[in-house]
Structures are given as structure tokens and as C-alpha cells.
Amino acid sequence: MNEPATPNQASVPAALSSGDTVAVVAPCGPPDPVRLARGVRVLRDLGLKVVTGAHVLERDRYLAGSDAGRAADLQDAWCDPAVAAVLCARGGYGATRILDLIDWDAMRAAGPKILAGSSDVTALHRAFDVELGVVTWFGPMPACATISDPDGPEPRTFTHFTAALFGDAPPVTGDRVIVAGAVEAPITGGNLSLLAALCGTPYQLDARGRIVLLEDVCEAPYRIDRMLTQLLQAGALDGAAGFALGSWVECDDPYPVLEERLGPLGVPVIGGLPVGHGTPQFTLPMGALGVIDAESCSLTWSIRNREGAG
């Protein structure tokens, strides 16, 4: 197994227990009120107490209300000692706009707790890594289809999601090996479009000694090529320990481009993991120590310091 120098593992929030309070906030795009209500019911059926941000149903064009309101909801939830987890209602666009409005000193003082979300929430995963050094969860969101469809949550997605929040979720397995090998390193990354958009900011991807998750939706291969080239030329992928490629829904066939741009880096690359925008949509702990095993085409992880975990 390759063993590059890796960053220290992020601090790990306690797993949820029945009766805990979770806050649902909308730091990005505006959630559909009906889907949001369904998602809240699903969470309550798990035995959780659910509160929602004061601005969660506001709308400003393509945003869930003003930047100040969205930032305040996120910060208020994180800093509330009664709240055990902060769940983002949906992605869309807008998380990058609030990063400069958050009082990171106050967030650090509040200590670690669960943050969960994906897609545009990638910006928060990166910021929480840089500013707070805390493990966060990249996975489904309460007002999105895999949780809030009229027929109920997608079963495989929901089983994996609840296992992640309440304990330890099982490994995620893909269906293709681009570069063979095995490596152990912390997990980072997320949505490719957001990682490209963060280039040149304080929250730019730093792949050194890390396994990088990449996924996207509705992006043609030439745009995927452009974004990967941007990350490569910005040095954001320098020293990556490996790559775990998630879903590429409505992206035609991105794998020739992914292989061309990532293969020459000479580190393990596996693909077809059900993480991102597809169905099922599994959950990964960003910042936790992950292991790519190309032989089984799997990504597993170890969450140290977590209550009940080794």
C-alpha cells in the first residue's frame, strides 16, 4: 500500500442518538417547501427533534434568501449547544457567497458537530476543513429527491445515510478501476464544479496526501476537462494520494477525460462510486481516514475518536 505523508485527521463529531436535535438550514438554493416538509417528517420518524432555520423558506432569485440570512442560519445552528447536527436542505448555488460572512472564531468555539450536505455544499465542506478541521458528511439532503420523494426515501440511500449519522456506514464500492493500487489517506474533494470555482480562494482544494472525491451532474466531457485542467494548473491536485470518482449523471461518458487527466498522476483511481447526484446516493465522511482498495474497487474509512468507534 502506498503511504504518502498525510495531514492530521480532522476532529470527529459524536454520532447522533434518538432524541437529538438537528437543524435544517438552507445555505444555498431555495428548497421546495413541500419537499422540505417531507424531509423534516422523515428525520422526525428517526426519533430526532428537528428545527429549521429562520430564513429557510425565504427566496431571493436563485438563492434561499439573503446572504446575511443564510449565513446567520448556518452559524446560529452550529453555535446552538442544543443542536447535534446541521443538515443542509439542498444544494443549488449560494454557499460560496456566505463564506466571508461567517464568524469562524465563534464556530470554532462551538466545537465539532455534524454537518451534512452535498453538491454546492462542497464549498462548506472545504471551508469547514480549513477553518474548523472537522469531519463533515457528503451525502443526501432532506429536501432532495433521494430523501423527500412522495413515496419515501430511496431505501439504499436512506439506510447508508442513517448508518453514517448514527454510527458507521459500510464501505462504498465502485465498478471500475482506472489506476490500480491501494492507499490510505484522509478524504477530501466533492463536486468538481465547486472545487474549480474555489480555485484562488482561501478554500481552494489542497489534495496533498489526500484521497480526492470527484463527482458532478449535467456537465459535458469538455467542461469536465476544462475544470480538471484548471485544478491541475492551479496545483490543487498536486500530491494527491488517490481519487474516488462518484456519479456523473447526465455527463455523457466522462471517463475518457477522467482517465486522460488523472491517470498520469500515478496514484490509485477508482470510479463508479454511488456518491454525488445519482441514485443511490451514499454518504462519505470528508476529513476521515479513507482507504482505496482497487482490487475490490472500494472506499472504506476509519473514524477515530468518534463515540463508539475504534
Side-chain angles (χ1 to χ4, degrees), residues 61 66 75 97 116 127 136 140 143 146 172 209 217 219 234 246 250 266 287 290:
R61 298 163 294 158
S66 69
Q75 183 170 317
R97 292 177 53 133
T136 55
T146 50
V172 175
V217 60
E219 296 289 353
E250 297 185 30

Side-chain angles (χ1 to χ4, degrees), residues 195-222:
L195 297 174
L198 289 168
C199 281
T201 75
Y203 308 110
Q204 173 170 310
L205 176 67
D206 182 356
R208 289 174 294 181
R210 292 177 179 259
I211 292 169
V212 181
L213 167 70
L214 296 174
E215 63 83 27
D216 220 315
V217 60
C218 297
E219 296 289 353
Y222 80 89

